[in-house]
């Protein structure tokens, strides 16, 4: 009788019950959707995405994708299209909208029980920031005794790596670009400004910050970077106890793990991301068991440094080539999606990834217009982008097609919400007799991924299977999984 029940469940899954798909409310704010506003949705027909456009697409993000949270790339006034050089930390860039639009966005998100984190760029400002303008004026005129802004940035009398010449015998630090002067983060006045900025956005209802370029705060001085992050964490957490802070430390795994000593909730897991990362490496080698061990070990180490910390997992972001560029078939995109969307901690989907959007090479190509499949709302690509192909899929098509990557992402995210133990990551790695199989045991479920392209059968003696979800069958103590598929077994 039990076997018959299992078969019935499997048949339902295989015949595509997505038409009767039920919405599972998030049980954690653990699925983030990274939005580059300029390329997302345009509400006023000027070709640039904006806050009102984002508001009109929240249904898509919440229900079609299934995300619980947003990460907004910088929205402050800035002379560049990407806005990672801020001119005013307490305003909204006028192409994106107004503070009232932002308040409306926050209200909408609260209604939906969604959260928002915003990019906070503290390593540098724009060269057009009034702080910098005031600073260089007094530095040049040797009138620093008249201004407290002189020491907001780092000046030297001799040329050094990462410095830009201002005048004879006067240079300022600008590690990324001459128009992005580095802030002097040792200056107590700068630190006061930072806490004013965080308080300002916390008062407007935001839930957290994504900290840009944390490994550059003090050059590559990890100890000083950690010290600063610890100061930031301690102080901002006093402003809002349950603030979520995730740092970008685009460096090797050892340094990323070290930085967890700062107390910051998360650092992006660069080692597992991208075409050369651990996930793709193990998928390409079909080594499921090794991938399971790598995930286990990484999370154990991270928790041993900060027991409250959570991993921040992603495939690609605005600085990297899009994942559909290196994961070339839909079946592989689904498998890799399942693997990372079911990892412990928080997961970050870069807008468009869920429909297999492409773009690589120069930065502008990584931030292309979201292909809605409709002229209305679609933005103009960033100026300078040289991506000339059509996007393989549009949002409209992906919504209509029940076999799309979008529907797959949604299904897997619903699993994540249904079994909250996936987020906390309390699991054991199970060794099966197939090295291609990645198998994890949780309290109430097992999760298995078959990294082989072939269907695989493994002996299953861990429990009596009452039901399972995914492309698999169970009979006579054996579990057969289709190639490149994922299964949740409910205990
Ligand atoms: Ca617009």
């Amino acid at each position: 009788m039990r076997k018959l029940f299992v078969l019935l469940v499997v048949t339902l899954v295989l015949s595509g019950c997505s038409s009767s798909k039920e919405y599972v409310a998030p049980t954690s704010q653990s699925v983030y959707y990274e939005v580059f506003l300029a390329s997302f949705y345009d509400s006023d027909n000027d070709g640039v995405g904006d806050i009102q456009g984002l508001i009109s697409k929240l249904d898509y993000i919440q229900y079609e994708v299934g995300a619980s949270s947003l990460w907004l790339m910088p929205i402050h006034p800035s002379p560049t299209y990407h806005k990672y050089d801020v001119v005013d930390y307490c305003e909204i860039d006028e192409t994106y909208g107004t503070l009232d639009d932002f308040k409306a966005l926050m209200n909408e998100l609260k209604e939906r029980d969604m959260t928002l984190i915003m990019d906070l760029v503290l390593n540098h400002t724009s060269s057009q920031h009034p702080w910098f303008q005031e600073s260089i004026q007094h530095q040049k005129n040797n009138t620093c005794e008249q201004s407290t802004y002189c020491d907001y940035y780092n000046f030297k009398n001799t040329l050094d790596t990462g410095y830009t010449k201002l005048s004879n015998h006067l240079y300022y630090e600008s590690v990324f670009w001459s128009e992005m002067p580095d802030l002097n983060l040792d200056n107590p006045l700068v630190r006061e400004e930072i806490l004013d900025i965080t308080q300002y956005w916390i008062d407007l209802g935001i839930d957290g910050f994504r900290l840009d370029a944390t490994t550059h705060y003090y050059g590559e001085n990890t100890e000083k970077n950690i010290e600063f992050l610890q100061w930031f964490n301690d102080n901002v957490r006093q402003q809002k106890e349950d603030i979520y802070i995730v740092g970008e430390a685009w460096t090797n795994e050892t340094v990323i793990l070290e930085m967890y000593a700062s107390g910051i909730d998360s650092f992006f897991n660069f080692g597992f991301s991208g075409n050369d990362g651990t996930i793709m490496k193990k998928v390409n080698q079909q080594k499921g068991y090794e991938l399971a061990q790598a995930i286990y070990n990484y999370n154990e180490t991270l928790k041993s440094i900060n027991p409250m910390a959570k991993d921040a997992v992603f495939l690609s972001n605005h600085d990297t080539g899009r994942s559909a560029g290196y994961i070339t078939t839909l079946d592989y995109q689904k498998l890799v999606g399942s693997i990372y969307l079911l990892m412990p901690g928080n997961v970050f989907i870069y807008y468009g990834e869920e429909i297999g959007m492409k773009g690589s090479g120069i930065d502008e190509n990584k931030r292309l217009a979201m292909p809605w499949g409709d002229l209305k709302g679609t933005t103009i690509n960033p100026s300078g982008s040289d991506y000339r192909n059509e996007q393989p899929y549009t949002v409209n098509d992906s919504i209509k097609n029940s076999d799309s990557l979008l529907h797959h992402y949604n299904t897997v995210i619903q699993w994540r919400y249904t079994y909250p133990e996936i987020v906390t990551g309390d699991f054991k790695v199970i060794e099966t007799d197939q090295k291609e199989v990645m198998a994890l045991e949780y309290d109430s479920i097992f999760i298995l991924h078959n990294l082989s392209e072939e269907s695989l059968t493994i002996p299953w003696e861990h429990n009596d299977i009452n039901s399972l979800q995914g492309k698999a069958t169970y009979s006579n103590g054996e579990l057969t999984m289709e190639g490149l598929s994922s299964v949740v077994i409910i205990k």
Side-chain angles (χ1 to χ4, degrees):
M1 191 58 212
R2 197 184 66 224
K3 242 176 271 169
L4 182 67
F5 177 70
V6 170
L7 282 175
L8 266 176
V9 170
V10 174
T11 313
L12 273 174
V13 171
L14 288 177
S15 64
C17 47
S18 55
S19 54
S20 60
K21 189 175 71 187
E22 272 181 36
Y23 176 70
V24 181
T27 51
S28 60
Q29 306 292 344
S30 70
V31 181
Y32 284 79
Y33 192 73
E34 180 190 355
V35 176
F36 177 46
L37 217 44
S39 288
F40 200 61
Y41 195 87
D42 176 19
S43 72
D44 57 1
N45 221 15
D46 64 355
V48 185
D50 42 58
I51 294 173
Q52 287 297 339
L54 172 63
I55 292 174
S56 69
K57 286 297 170 187
L58 288 178
D59 269 353
Y60 169 74
I61 296 171
Q62 185 174 22
Y63 300 112
E64 301 295 344
V65 182
S68 61
S69 309
L70 293 180
W71 156 20
L72 286 193
M73 285 165 62
I75 55 174
H76 310 304
S78 164
T80 59
Y81 82 98
H82 53 71
K83 310 205 187 302
Y84 275 97
D85 43 346
V86 176
V87 170
D88 182 348
Y89 286 94
C90 295
E91 262 302 336
I92 306 285
D93 192 281
E94 61 181 14
T95 57
Y96 285 176
T98 63
L99 268 174
D100 281 339
D101 291 329
F102 185 79
K103 289 174 189 167
L105 171 65
M106 289 313 304
N107 283 337
E108 264 297 324
L109 292 173
K110 301 281 174 211
E111 293 275 308
R112 293 163 184 267
D113 264 332
M114 292 179 75
T115 60
L116 176 141
I117 64 170
M118 69 191 313
D119 232 303
L120 190 57
V121 188
L122 299 179
N123 180 67
H124 51 264
T125 68
S126 162
S127 59
Q128 295 178 29
H129 195 294
W131 298 340
F132 188 66
Q133 290 301 318
E134 169 102 6
S135 171
I136 58 172
Q137 189 200 333
H138 288 284
Q139 286 281 358
K140 273 191 203 162
N141 298 337
N142 258 323
T143 52
C144 276
E145 71 285 353
Q146 297 170 15
S147 171
T148 53
Y149 290 100
C150 266
D151 293 329
Y152 268 43
Y153 298 84
N154 299 313
F155 292 93
K156 266 190 183 175
N157 298 123
T158 50
L159 182 60
D160 201 350
T161 323
Y163 277 67
T164 299
K165 183 173 181 175
L166 189 62
S167 61
N168 275 342
H169 306 297
L170 193 55
Y171 304 84
Y172 63 92
E173 193 187 7
S174 53
V175 164
F176 286 96
W177 179 37
S178 60
E179 304 316 307
M180 288 179 172
D182 282 49
L183 279 164
N184 173 10
L185 297 174
D186 275 337
N187 185 339
L189 294 176
V190 171
R191 292 200 180 195
E192 259 178 54
E193 301 271 12
I194 290 172
L195 294 182
D196 286 348
I197 293 162
T198 53
Q199 185 69 62
Y200 178 82
W201 292 103
I202 287 170
D203 289 345
L204 284 169
I206 67 147
D207 304 278
F209 296 104
R210 178 264 184 192
L211 298 180
D212 183 59
T214 65
T215 49
H216 294 278
Y217 287 162
Y218 292 89
E220 304 291 313
N221 187 333
T222 303
E223 204 178 312
K224 289 208 77 178
N225 292 334
I226 292 173
E227 181 277 325
F228 177 82
L229 287 167
Q230 199 163 11
W231 167 84
F232 182 87
N233 188 57
D234 291 348
N235 283 278
V236 178
R237 216 163 282 283
Q238 277 178 30
Q239 296 174 337
K240 179 178 166 61
E241 206 181 342
D242 62 346
I243 191 100
Y244 175 62
I245 304 169
V246 52
E248 178 205 28
W250 196 351
T251 178
N252 66 65
E253 201 164 293
T254 312
V255 175
I256 295 176
L257 285 167
E258 248 180 87
M259 290 179 79
Y260 272 101
S262 62
I264 297 281
D265 296 289
S266 303
F267 287 90
F268 288 108
N269 189 336
F270 278 92
F272 279 63
S273 75
N275 194 20
D276 305 323
T278 306
I279 296 175
M280 285 315 296
K281 217 181 277 173
K282 297 298 175 195
V283 165
N284 289 331
Q285 298 166 346
Q286 304 188 358
K287 289 185 174 164
Y289 178 62
E290 286 186 13
L291 178 54
Q293 282 182 313
I295 293 170
Y296 180 83
N297 291 339
Y298 188 84
N299 279 275
E300 284 295 296
T301 310
L302 169 170
K303 290 228 150 85
S304 72
I305 299 167
N306 174 5
M308 302 302 288
K310 314 164 199 180
D311 196 3
V313 194
F314 68 105
L315 288 183
S316 65
N317 66 23
H318 60 280
D319 286 323
T320 69
R322 283 185 172 274
S323 49
Y326 54 81
I327 315 173
T328 47
T329 71
L330 182 60
D331 285 345
Y332 269 105
Q333 285 170 14
K334 287 181 178 178
L335 172 74
V336 174
S338 303
I339 290 173
Y340 104 92
L341 292 171
L342 296 175
M343 276 172 65
N346 291 334
V347 295
F348 290 77
I349 300 166
Y350 184 39
Y351 81 94
E353 176 195 304
E354 74 280 7
I355 57 163
M357 194 172 159
K358 290 194 171 181
S360 61
I362 56 171
D363 281 348
E364 289 82 348
N365 291 357
K366 301 163 183 165
R367 304 161 187 174
L368 298 171
M370 183 77 161
W372 295 102
D374 197 341
L375 275 183
K376 184 172 169 284
T378 300
T379 65
I380 297 167
N381 281 333
S383 133
S385 64
D386 56 12
Y387 184 89
R388 294 288 172 261
N389 299 326
E390 287 279 306
Q391 287 293 343
Y393 305 100
T394 67
V395 173
N396 283 347
D397 294 344
S398 301
I399 291 172
K400 280 181 212 143
N401 178 359
S402 65
D403 190 44
S404 66
L405 188 62
L406 175 66
H407 280 274
H408 180 80
Y409 266 46
N410 189 283
T411 301
V412 176
I413 290 168
Q414 307 296 312
W415 289 352
R416 189 176 178 87
Y417 295 147
T418 306
Y419 310 105
E421 58 218 275
I422 292 171
V423 177
T424 49
D426 297 319
F427 65 83
K428 285 190 301 199
V429 177
I430 304 283
E431 187 164 13
T432 72
D433 67 352
Q434 303 282 352
K435 66 173 175 45
E436 292 90 341
V437 174
M438 168 175 169
L440 312 176
E441 178 176 10
Y442 295 81
D443 258 0
S444 67
I445 53 167
F446 291 86
I447 294 177
L448 287 86
H449 305 283
N450 177 8
L451 274 55
S452 162
E453 293 180 3
E454 310 298 324
S455 157
L456 286 180
T457 298
I458 53 171
W460 192 259
E461 286 148 0
H462 299 283
N463 67 324
D464 286 341
I465 294 180
N466 278 316
S467 67
L468 55 79
Q469 293 169 321
K471 294 176 176 175
T473 52
Y474 171 71
S475 93
N476 294 330
E478 288 191 324
L479 183 74
T480 301
M481 301 173 67
E482 283 188 20
L484 306 179
S485 76
S486 307
V487 185
V488 176
I489 295 172
I490 298 108
K491 287 188 184 174

